[in-house]
């Protein structure tokens, strides 16, 4: 549970890092985009999170492993691409996030193994 909590905290930090970049480097358009990102809420049918996986309810512990395992695996490839950006603040931010994504995938994979082991022992 501690690891899942840490993953959620770090995902929030990733959002705030992108919001900072938009505010700091992209003027009014960046501020408007940042506000749009921050106004989205999981489960809100009128203003849902952009990534659909964050809008799905999690009803059991094993499902909570899916997000860090699969979503962050996809995020890793996106961040790797952005880490090659010629826009240095973005590249540095993404390189830092990649270290956290590796931990997120580990947390998800560990959760999947525990769920499979629990299912086999029943």
């Amino acid at each position: 549970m501690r690891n899942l909590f840490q993953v959620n905290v770090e995902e929030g930090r990733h959002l705030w890092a992108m919001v900072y970049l938009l505010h700091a480097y992209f003027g009014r358009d960046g501020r408007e985009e940042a506000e749009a990102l921050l106004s989205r809420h999981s489960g809100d049918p009128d203003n849902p999170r952009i990534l659909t996986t964050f809008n799905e309810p999690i009803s059991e512990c094993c499902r909570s492993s899916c997000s860090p395992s699969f979503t962050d695996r996809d995020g890793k490839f996106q961040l790797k691409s952005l880490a090659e950006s010629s826009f240095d603040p973005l590249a540095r931010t993404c390189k830092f996030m990649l270290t956290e994504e590796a931990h997120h995938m580990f947390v998800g994979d560990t959760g999947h193994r525990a769920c499979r082991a629990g299912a086999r022992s029943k």
Side-chain angles (χ1 to χ4, degrees):
M1 291 307 288
R2 183 196 163 298
N3 280 330
L4 287 173
F5 179 76
Q6 181 178 347
V7 167
N8 285 320
V9 168
E10 290 171 356
E11 290 297 349
R13 187 170 50 233
H14 295 180
L15 170 65
W16 282 103
M18 292 301 169
V19 165
Y20 168 78
L21 291 174
L22 288 166
H23 271 266
Y25 296 99
F26 295 96
R28 184 177 55 206
D29 289 341
R31 287 189 298 278
E32 289 173 2
E33 185 63 32
E35 291 306 313
L37 285 173
L38 292 173
S39 71
R40 296 180 181 281
H41 297 284
S42 296
D44 182 344
D46 298 324
N47 201 15
R49 303 288 301 160
I50 294 171
L51 188 56
T52 307
T53 190
F54 292 123
N55 297 310
E56 298 299 322
I58 297 175
S59 58
E60 59 189 56
C61 185
C62 288
R63 290 184 183 190
S64 65
S65 301
C66 290
S67 181
S69 184
F70 300 124
T71 305
D72 288 324
R73 192 169 308 280
D74 179 58
K76 171 186 148 183
F77 292 105
Q78 293 176 26
L79 288 171
K80 274 186 155 185
S81 175
L82 292 171
E84 299 297 322
S85 172
S86 61
F87 180 53
D88 188 54
L90 177 63
R92 283 185 286 123
T93 298
C94 290
K95 285 175 186 168
F96 175 76
M97 286 183 199
L98 278 166
T99 62
E100 293 181 338
E101 294 299 304
H103 177 256
H104 298 178
M105 289 184 295
F106 168 78
V107 169
D109 292 345
T110 302
H112 280 284
R113 280 195 299 277
C115 287
R116 285 195 309 269
R120 277 187 250 132
S121 67
K122 290 183 179 179

